[in-house]
């Protein structure tokens, strides 16, 4: 494979990017002056160097020192420690947090559970979630899977699980939802 094909393959790994869009990215980079690709490359390296994953919620965050283990949300003493929102990815957490409707803890599951796949625990952080709930005693297909996996853990602790309600269609990407829609979904969760 030549460099164009290699870069195309890399860009195809990005969420929502197919072959045509990946090639557009490659040709866009080729059309830019020498500084642009160099700046992009330097920023990617800097991002990897300065980014840490929160030990509590698994959110990626920029850290001044690699010693920080908790993101700014998990380290905030003013959050509601009695609630835990489970989201698929970092961008979902950011969308809900930006709405300022929810003030509890988060947990990034790290993916969705396919209907046909048997080994689902390797695709999502279900074991980490169970451990978190046991340690802290708090509380479509992925929702069903999470509820079933947590059932034996949460029932003895009388923990209630709720899902987002009115305002969000099944399968909706939270990162593309506006604040009012998120506010209604949180207020009307079931």
């Amino acid at each position: 494979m030549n460099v164009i094909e290699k870069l195309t393959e890399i860009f195809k790994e990005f969420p929502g990017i197919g072959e045509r869009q990946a090639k557009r990215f490659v040709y866009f980079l080729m059309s830019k002056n020498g500084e642009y690709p160099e700046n992009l490359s330097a920023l990617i390296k800097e991002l990897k160097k300065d980014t840490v994953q929160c030990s509590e919620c698994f959110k990626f965050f920029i850290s001044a020192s690699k010693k920080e283990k908790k993101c700014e949300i998990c380290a905030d003493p003013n959050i509601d420690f009695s609630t835990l929102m489970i989201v698929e990815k970092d961008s979902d957490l950011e969308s809900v947090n930006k709405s300022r409707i929810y003030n509890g803890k988060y947990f990034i599951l790290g993916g969705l559970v396919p209907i046909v796949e048997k080994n689902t625990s390797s695709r999502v952080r279900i074991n980490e979630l169970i451990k978190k709930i046991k340690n802290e005693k708090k509380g479509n297909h992925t929702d069903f899977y999470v509820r079933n996996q947590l059932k034996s853990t949460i029932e003895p602790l009388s923990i209630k699980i709720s899902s987002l309600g009115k305002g969000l269609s099944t399968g909706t990407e939270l990162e593309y939802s506006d604040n009012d829609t998120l506010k209604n979904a949180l207020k009307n969760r079931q």
Side-chain angles (χ1 to χ4, degrees), residues 145-156:
Y145 172 76
V146 169
R147 286 173 187 270
N148 281 337
Q149 291 294 311
L150 296 178
K151 192 173 188 175
S152 64
T153 303
I154 64 171
E155 281 180 352

Side-chain angles (χ1 to χ4, degrees), residues 91-129:
S91 57
D92 295 337
L93 182 152
E94 287 181 12
S95 295
V96 173
N97 197 48
K98 184 179 172 186
S99 74
R100 298 179 191 255
I101 301 304
Y102 177 75
N103 188 36
K105 295 194 83 164
Y106 293 92
F107 186 88
I108 298 173
L109 199 55
L112 294 175
V113 178
I115 294 173
V116 294
E117 190 169 317
K118 299 289 184 221
N119 187 11
T120 54
S121 62
S122 66
R123 295 185 59 99
V124 294
R125 296 184 184 104
I126 197 66
N127 295 328
E128 293 89 339
L129 180 58

Side-chain angles (χ1 to χ4, degrees), residues 25-91:
F25 290 164
V26 174
Y27 290 122
F28 171 79
L29 288 173
M30 289 189 302
S31 72
K32 297 307 256 179
N33 67 26
E35 288 182 21
Y36 188 90
E38 288 174 19
N39 288 339
L40 178 62
S41 175
L43 285 171
I44 291 170
K45 287 178 184 175
E46 187 178 327
L47 177 69
K48 291 302 288 180
K49 183 182 71 153
D50 296 343
T51 304
V52 177
Q53 193 169 33
C54 180
S55 61
E56 294 286 318
C57 69
F58 294 95
K59 173 186 185 280
F60 287 105
F61 66 101
I62 304 297
S63 172
S65 72
K66 291 283 188 176
K67 293 178 183 174
E68 289 180 87
K69 298 295 181 201
K70 290 185 181 181
C71 68
E72 66 283 356
I73 297 169
C74 293
D76 183 353
N78 298 317
I79 63 170
D80 179 0
F81 289 93
S82 68
T83 60
L84 178 69
M85 179 177 289
I86 303 166
V87 295
E88 176 193 353
K89 55 191 180 285
D90 288 70
S91 57

Side-chain angles (χ1 to χ4, degrees), residues 129-146:
L129 180 58
I130 291 169
K131 181 180 174 188
K132 181 175 190 65
I133 289 174
K134 281 183 179 177
N135 289 343
E136 296 185 19
K137 297 178 176 59
K138 66 164 79 168
N140 79 51
H141 183 66
T142 302
D143 182 81
F144 178 75
Y145 172 76
V146 169

